[in-house]
Amino acid sequence: MKSKKLTMNIVIALVAGIIIGSICDIYADTSLVKGVDQYFFNTIGQIFLNLIFMLVVPVVFVSIVIGVVGVGDPKLLGGIGLKTLVFFLCTTAIAITIAIVLALVVKPGAGHSDLMKSTEVASYQKTLDKQSEGAEAPANQTFDQTLINLFPKNPIESMTQGNMLQVITFSIFIGIGMMVLGDKALVVRQFFEQFNEILMYIISMIMRVFAPIGTFCLVAHAFTGAGLGAIKQLGLYFIVVLAALILHFFLIYGGTIKFIAKDSPIKFFKGFFPAITIGFGGSSSNAALPVSMECTKKMGVRPAIASFVQPLGATINMDGTAIMQGVATVFIAQISGAQLTILQILTVIVIAVIASIGTAGVPGVGLIMLAMVLTAVDLNPAAIGIIIGIDRLLDMTRTAVNITGDAACAFMISKQEDRKAISS
Ligand code: ASP
């Protein structure tokens, strides 16, 4: 009953945030709106986000350790890991295929060749030049470096820097050690279990007290600065991305829940709704992680599976991001007057899947990784400057899709394990 009321309050906050933020956007230049935005929307929104962010590293560390111990068998863990990876890769490939097909049919870039000569392209070119002069840009990371970087030299440094993949690797090793040692590590195991209880309590408390006002402020702030006027010019691009996100969300995740997990998609989407709003408000898969794990566990997903699948997904599974990259690539090809060949389209799919693995679950990174996809098919990455202005709202929406994909995977695997347990 309590959680129903909380969900209802979050929905009201979300809608109010969109309406009030859109109104404020019209008057964004007035000092009154500037003041309200800076001192109210942004301040409260950021405090809410920081409160959740504060829990991300401890929650990932503690829950993966007890998740691995909970699976209880290294072989079973390997099986779950493999299934998770296959699901992530396949759904991301499907996501970008839906996006490319839709963009090829609707042609959002047709008749907009003037955009390539705009000042936005020139100014983004400067940003790219600076990036290539300075420290290594994330998009330039080679495959071997990505592999090497999975293994932390100093796990404490990985934690302080919020390097999720390294934290995950370290946690899996500690979990395996604890699992193999059994009772010899009993006290440490109990410590982790009790620490987990504390973290879960803090998350529910933050959600109960802050979620409605925090969501309202985050969304109102995003809409106030979103420059809704800019959407008009790139309207078709915006609509195609949104349509592909919605299609993927309901068809692929709904289908996974209905046909593979054999459960009700409506129940799943409803149960996961509080996490969706945090992903939407904060544009960050990482920030949404503590709440999204709490939601799936409440829906009956085995804690061990949620703890293992969702942090991994928040780091390497980005279907929504891949969708934006697919539509953006076709859009930029169209405004550049380039025809993408079948081979180039396949290249976009493969590179976007790899880029999705390398995209950190924080705001805006998907757009930076888009440079890698564009370069692979000889398109000018400076064209990113054209879509950057309206990316904020799309980032919010694609992040909500990104985290739902992780949750759908955890839900599916957990249901399959439940069925196996009943039949054996
Ligand atoms: N904001 C996205 C996320 O955290 C990543 C991106 O597409 O920029 O999932």
Side-chain angles (χ1 to χ4, degrees):
M1 212 50 221
K2 248 191 206 166
S3 91
K4 249 192 189 162
K5 198 170 159 224
L6 178 65
T7 309
M8 201 54 220
N9 286 343
I10 296 177
V11 176
I12 295 169
L14 190 70
V15 176
I18 293 176
I19 296 172
I20 300 206
S22 305
I23 296 170
C24 286
D25 187 50
I26 304 170
Y27 305 102
D29 288 337
T30 62
S31 46
L32 175 68
V33 168
K34 275 187 190 154
V36 171
D37 184 35
Q38 182 180 348
Y39 296 108
F40 181 55
F41 297 161
N42 188 42
T43 307
I44 307 269
Q46 284 307 316
I47 290 175
F48 173 54
L49 218 50
N50 281 2
L51 281 174
I52 301 181
F53 249 128
M54 148 183 112
L55 300 169
V56 173
V57 169
V59 163
V60 170
F61 180 43
V62 172
S63 61
I64 291 191
V65 170
I66 54 176
V68 170
V69 179
V71 172
D73 172 6
K75 251 200 228 145
L76 189 60
L77 187 69
I80 292 174
L82 193 67
K83 223 187 250 182
T84 304
L85 284 182
V86 171
F87 180 89
F88 287 168
L89 293 180
C90 291
T91 49
T92 308
I94 293 171
I96 188 160
T97 308
I98 294 178
I100 291 176
V101 171
L102 216 58
L104 286 174
V105 173
V106 180
K107 297 193 179 63
H112 284 300
S113 54
D114 51 312
L115 284 173
M116 277 313 280
K117 291 183 210 97
S118 60
T119 48
E120 283 87 1
V121 177
S123 84
Y124 200 73
Q125 183 64 55
K126 277 191 202 134
T127 314
L128 288 174
D129 291 344
K130 255 190 233 148
Q131 259 179 22
S132 56
E133 275 165 26
E136 209 163 349
N140 291 341
Q141 235 192 38
T142 52
F143 184 65
D144 55 329
Q145 277 168 333
T146 310
L147 269 186
I148 294 169
N149 284 342
L150 284 179
F151 300 92
K153 259 192 285 194
N154 178 350
I156 306 295
E157 192 179 298
S158 315
M159 288 183 191
T160 56
Q161 290 179 345
N163 185 327
M164 284 308 152
L165 276 182
Q166 294 189 346
V167 175
I168 291 171
T169 310
F170 180 64
S171 318
I172 291 176
F173 275 105
I174 297 284
I176 291 177
M178 223 183 255
M179 181 193 338
V180 174
L181 289 179
D183 279 354
K184 272 194 200 155
L186 187 64
V187 176
V188 182
R189 183 175 165 173
Q190 283 168 342
F191 169 79
F192 270 80
E193 280 164 0
Q194 290 174 4
F195 194 28
N196 191 47
E197 291 288 326
I198 297 172
L199 291 170
M200 291 304 135
Y201 168 75
I202 299 175
I203 294 166
S204 350
M205 187 190 67
I206 292 174
M207 285 301 283
R208 258 199 327 266
V209 179
F210 287 104
I213 179 76
T215 309
F216 168 78
C217 287
L218 280 175
V219 174
H221 172 66
F223 274 75
T224 300
L228 292 172
I231 292 179
K232 278 189 207 131
Q233 207 196 1
L234 296 169
L236 214 47
Y237 164 76
F238 191 85
I239 291 170
V240 175
V241 177
L242 219 55
L245 287 172
I246 293 171
L247 265 180
H248 188 75
F249 186 88
F250 286 109
L251 282 185
I252 305 304
Y253 303 149
T256 301
I257 302 301
K258 177 136 188 69
F259 299 110
I260 309 183
K262 300 199 179 4
D263 210 315
S264 154
I266 297 175
K267 194 182 92 189
F268 170 78
F269 291 131
K270 255 194 190 161
F272 196 61
F273 187 75
I276 291 178
T277 57
I278 307 290
F280 185 76
S283 296
S284 165
S285 299
N286 285 355
L289 193 53
V291 181
S292 55
M293 279 161 58
E294 213 214 350
C295 286
T296 49
K297 285 176 194 168
K298 268 193 192 152
M299 282 189 272
V301 172
R302 294 179 177 208
I305 293 176
S307 312
F308 180 68
V309 173
Q310 286 175 272
L312 196 65
T315 321
I316 67 167
N317 182 43
M318 310 264 168
D319 296 355
T321 303
I323 285 174
M324 176 278 288
Q325 290 171 341
V327 178
T329 307
V330 175
F331 173 75
I332 289 169
Q334 286 165 352
I335 60 173
S336 314
Q339 280 284 347
L340 291 175
T341 61
I342 295 285
L343 192 68
Q344 279 179 315
I345 290 176
L346 288 177
T347 309
V348 172
I349 295 176
V350 173
I351 302 281
V353 171
I354 296 171
S356 150
I357 297 173
T359 306
V362 291
V365 184
L367 209 60
I368 298 173
M369 298 302 273
L370 175 61
M372 182 166 128
V373 182
L374 294 176
T375 315
V377 288
D378 294 327
L379 290 170
N380 184 359
I384 292 173
I386 301 167
I387 49 176
I388 211 167
I390 59 160
D391 194 60
R392 185 137 170 216
L393 296 184
L394 291 177
D395 194 6
M396 297 167 82
T397 323
R398 68 175 178 258
T399 305
V401 172
N402 287 345
I403 60 167
T404 309
D406 311 333
C409 180
F411 194 89
M412 174 194 83
I413 294 179
S414 180
K415 288 283 159 185
Q416 287 177 331
E417 290 301 319
D418 286 351
R419 279 202 295 275
K420 256 195 234 162
I422 291 171
S423 64
S424 66

